[in-house]
Amino acid sequence: MKTRSTCLLIPMAIGVMICVSTPVIFILYSAVKVDVALWIRLYETRLNVILPNTVMLLLSVGFLTAILGVTTAWIITRYDFMGKKIWEWAIILPLAVPGYVLAYAYASIMAPGGIAQTTWHNVFGDMLDMPSLYSFWGVSIILSLVNYPYVYLLTRASLLSLNAVYDDAARVLGVSRWRRLWSVNIRLSYPGIAAGISLAMMEVMADFGTVAILRYPTFTEAIYRQMTARFDPLGASALAIILVMTTFLLLILERYFRGKKRFEQFSGKFQIYKPEKVSSLRTLFFTAIMMLIIGVGFIAPVSFLIKWSFDAALNGGIDSRLTEFIYNTVFVAGTGSFLAVILAIPAAYLHARKPNFIHRTVYYLSTLGYSLPGPVIAVGLLLTVSIIFPYLYGGLILLLLAYVVRFIPITLQALESSILMVSRSLEDAGRTLGAGTWKTIRRILLPLIRPGMLTGAIIVFVDCMKELPATLMLRPVAFDTLAVRVWMDASESLWEMAALPALLIVIAGLIPIAIIINRTNRGMRDGIEVA
């Protein structure tokens, strides 16, 4: 029998679901109203360029992240060499650097008269032109460097969970090392690899800052220009609905191909892989690979950010409003993460404790926002408020709502996993003593799931700090955050002024990495103890 407080959770969860799904509904509604003439104009002026650009970028980044992520995961899991414990986690450091920060850093390094151009000219002279960062491959490499850790982490987890018995059986049958790599290890790790590549490609779909700084037109950049420069909401919604359909198609394809490659062990003894000890020469080779990737993806750009920050401080090049930018960033990111955690509680609780059809539907529709790029959410919210709530236009509420729509799936997953780890008997004991659902949640459940709530809040806080397109499109007039300042200063080639805000974003981005490392190490210790 449902209690009164339990019944109240359902409309609250449905209300959150409606808020999350409304932007997509209004984009779809506006796109339906687009006439044929506008579609033709969009194709002639935008789609004929941005569609092939976006598809080619997805394919190239998917390929490069697969090469980087699978190679590093294989080296870390299958070989034992000096420094492995350090490289095991250092390899994910580029995840802390947003794409637009890495693009800005290398745009400055490779600018005319910069260190890269000077070095290239001293080495090659006029015989060979330096490759341009403002190109398809320049954008592909930047986005691959910041997104390959997704493939690495999920591939590493898959490789660590494989049963060594299969590889041993193939070895006994005379299968060569390289053939075992492809036919046994890679094939059995396919679900993790596919999931990692899919995540990387989803990030490419959502990226705005990198392609905008490097002047490579894609859907996100076109939607932003259509909405802010041309003031064309119908055109923006038409482009947005194509991007939404492409995103969902990517998700469907990933689930389809991953579903075709599911492997389970039904019987037999599980045997853990023992990493192979390698020679000094191979240790040097593996170290060189790790150092090259981390050096290009993290050490070099962050070192230059630190140098430029010090130069700006010594030369008076730091914006006097930096304190205001930091306050704005902390305020909106903190408020957005708090709202995302609080609003996620009803849906997470109902899905974890009472997983019927309605509650599952509410939960999954509430996670819709994470698959939507920031410009799509911004366009959907702008269309919504222009029709229903015009008084919200230009206010902070709209920006905070965009953060909630975009990142509430993170808190939903963190809360649900924490709730599932709490024994139902504790809640049953509270109800036996006369406590209702609300009191049981407040007095028993919330204190027990506090670590999961805090983890979700921290990750959302950092993601809100890094979110660029939604902040650009929805922020109040003259309300700048660190991400906005990096983009604006980098767009005007004010390299030193953008350095310190970019460095602060990178430092904040290291927090989720520390959480990932801590959780993974704890999981590995628990697994060893259980074994």
Side-chain angles (χ1 to χ4, degrees):
M1 182 178 180
K2 293 183 179 179
T3 63
R4 180 183 177 185
S5 49
T6 303
C7 291
L8 288 175
L9 288 173
I10 298 174
M12 291 177 63
I14 291 175
V16 174
M17 177 198 71
I18 292 173
C19 289
V20 171
S21 57
T22 294
V24 180
I25 294 172
F26 271 87
I27 288 174
L28 181 61
Y29 170 74
S30 299
V32 169
K33 297 198 306 181
V34 175
D35 57 23
V36 177
L38 180 55
W39 280 112
I40 294 174
R41 180 168 62 83
L42 286 174
Y43 177 78
E44 292 176 345
T45 59
R46 295 285 189 177
L47 284 173
N48 63 338
V49 175
I50 62 175
L51 185 57
N53 278 5
T54 303
V55 171
M56 291 300 296
L57 194 61
L58 284 173
L59 294 175
S60 64
V61 173
F63 175 76
L64 291 174
T65 54
I67 296 295
L68 294 173
V70 175
T71 300
T72 51
W74 177 261
I75 292 173
I76 290 296
T77 57
R78 293 297 182 258
Y79 298 102
D80 186 12
F81 56 97
M82 188 175 64
K84 171 182 172 178
K85 293 295 182 183
I86 297 175
W87 299 122
E88 189 172 15
W89 299 116
I91 200 68
I92 67 174
L93 286 176
L95 197 61
V97 186
Y100 58 86
V101 170
L102 195 65
Y104 141 70
Y106 277 106
S108 177
I109 293 171
M110 300 177 70
I115 184 172
Q117 192 176 74
T118 302
T119 304
W120 184 276
H121 181 74
N122 291 336
V123 174
F124 297 102
D126 297 328
M127 295 185 300
L128 193 63
D129 292 333
M130 187 177 73
S132 174
L133 186 65
Y134 298 88
S135 64
F136 166 74
W137 285 112
V139 177
S140 297
I141 291 171
I142 293 294
L143 288 175
S144 299
L145 286 171
V146 298
N147 289 310
Y148 81 84
Y150 292 115
V151 183
Y152 164 78
L153 287 169
L154 293 172
T155 304
R156 175 181 174 273
S158 295
L159 289 172
L160 288 174
S161 65
L162 291 185
N163 193 339
V165 171
Y166 303 129
D167 196 74
D168 291 340
R171 185 187 297 111
V172 171
L173 293 172
V175 180
S176 66
R177 178 190 294 266
W178 284 105
R179 190 173 177 188
R180 291 200 310 272
L181 167 64
W182 291 105
S183 62
V184 178
N185 291 273
I186 298 299
R187 188 176 180 186
L188 292 177
S189 302
Y190 181 85
I193 297 172
I197 294 173
S198 176
L199 277 174
M201 294 173 78
M202 293 285 289
E203 290 295 324
V204 173
M205 294 284 289
D207 180 81
F208 166 76
T210 306
V211 296
I213 289 175
L214 299 183
R215 305 187 192 104
Y216 185 80
T218 61
F219 270 99
T220 50
E221 188 267 348
I223 292 170
Y224 175 78
R225 303 294 178 193
Q226 203 76 19
M227 198 72 183
T228 59
R230 299 194 177 190
F231 306 103
D232 181 11
L234 284 180
S237 63
L239 295 175
I241 201 62
I242 296 177
L243 184 57
V244 170
M245 292 169 61
T246 306
T247 303
F248 285 139
L249 177 62
L250 183 63
L251 282 172
I252 292 170
L253 288 174
E254 186 271 334
R255 289 182 182 274
Y256 173 78
F257 286 113
R258 187 150 55 103
K260 289 275 192 180
K261 297 286 186 180
R262 288 181 179 173
F263 303 96
E264 297 180 11
Q265 177 179 319
F266 293 99
S267 63
K269 183 179 179 181
F270 183 84
Q271 182 176 329
I272 299 174
Y273 274 91
K274 289 187 65 176
E276 175 188 344
K277 287 189 175 294
V278 300
S279 63
S280 300
L281 184 61
R282 292 180 78 181
T283 296
L284 184 62
F285 176 66
F286 290 155
T287 302
I289 292 176
M290 299 293 177
M291 195 65 194
L292 176 63
I293 296 173
I294 299 172
V296 175
F298 184 82
I299 295 175
V302 172
S303 299
F304 278 100
L305 289 179
I306 295 172
K307 177 185 180 299
W308 295 330
S309 297
F310 275 111
D311 291 344
L314 294 175
N315 300 328
I318 294 179
D319 198 313
S320 59
R321 300 168 296 167
L322 181 62
T323 305
E324 177 187 344
F325 303 151
I326 295 174
Y327 172 80
N328 290 346
T329 303
V330 172
F331 176 74
V332 294
T335 307
S337 60
F338 174 78
L339 291 174
V341 170
I342 296 301
L343 295 176
I345 292 174
Y349 178 82
L350 292 171
H351 188 256
R353 290 295 189 245
K354 307 175 187 299
N356 57 38
F357 174 76
I358 295 176
H359 298 164
R360 284 195 295 267
T361 301
V362 169
Y363 178 88
Y364 288 118
L365 287 179
S366 298
T367 63
L368 188 65
Y370 198 64
S371 61
L372 301 179
V376 173
I377 293 174
V379 170
L381 289 174
L382 287 172
L383 292 171
T384 303
V385 300
S386 65
I387 296 173
I388 303 178
F389 309 109
Y391 50 86
L392 293 180
Y393 188 85
L396 270 180
I397 293 178
L398 199 59
L399 177 59
L400 295 174
L401 185 57
Y403 289 159
V404 171
V405 172
R406 180 91 167 86
F407 301 118
I408 198 172
I410 297 173
T411 55
L412 277 170
Q413 294 179 6
L415 289 174
E416 187 199 14
S417 60
S418 298
I419 292 171
L420 290 172
M421 294 178 66
V422 177
S423 174
R424 291 174 180 265
S425 60
L426 296 174
E427 298 175 54
D428 294 338
R431 294 191 185 92
T432 302
L433 295 173
T437 303
W438 280 114
K439 193 171 184 179
T440 302
I441 292 175
R442 181 172 56 87
R443 298 289 296 275
I444 298 176
L445 191 63
L446 292 184
L448 293 174
I449 66 171
R450 191 175 298 157
M453 294 175 64
L454 182 61
T455 299
I458 290 173
I459 294 175
V460 172
F461 177 86
V462 175
D463 281 341
C464 291
M465 280 188 65
K466 297 192 293 186
E467 175 61 31
L468 178 59
T471 309
L472 273 172
M473 297 175 70
L474 300 176
R475 76 192 197 281
V477 177
F479 186 90
D480 290 348
T481 63
L482 292 173
V484 171
R485 290 315 307 176
V486 170
W487 185 80
M488 295 180 70
D489 290 338
S491 299
E492 299 175 10
S493 300
L494 301 174
W495 309 121
E496 287 190 355
M497 291 187 68
L500 187 54
L503 185 61
L504 293 174
I505 293 174
V506 172
I507 292 172
L510 292 172
I511 299 174
I513 291 179
I515 293 173
I516 292 172
I517 294 172
N518 181 58
R519 280 191 162 190
T520 306
N521 286 339
R522 188 188 308 166
M524 290 179 64
R525 288 195 300 269
D526 294 344
I528 292 171
E529 290 173 3
V530 170

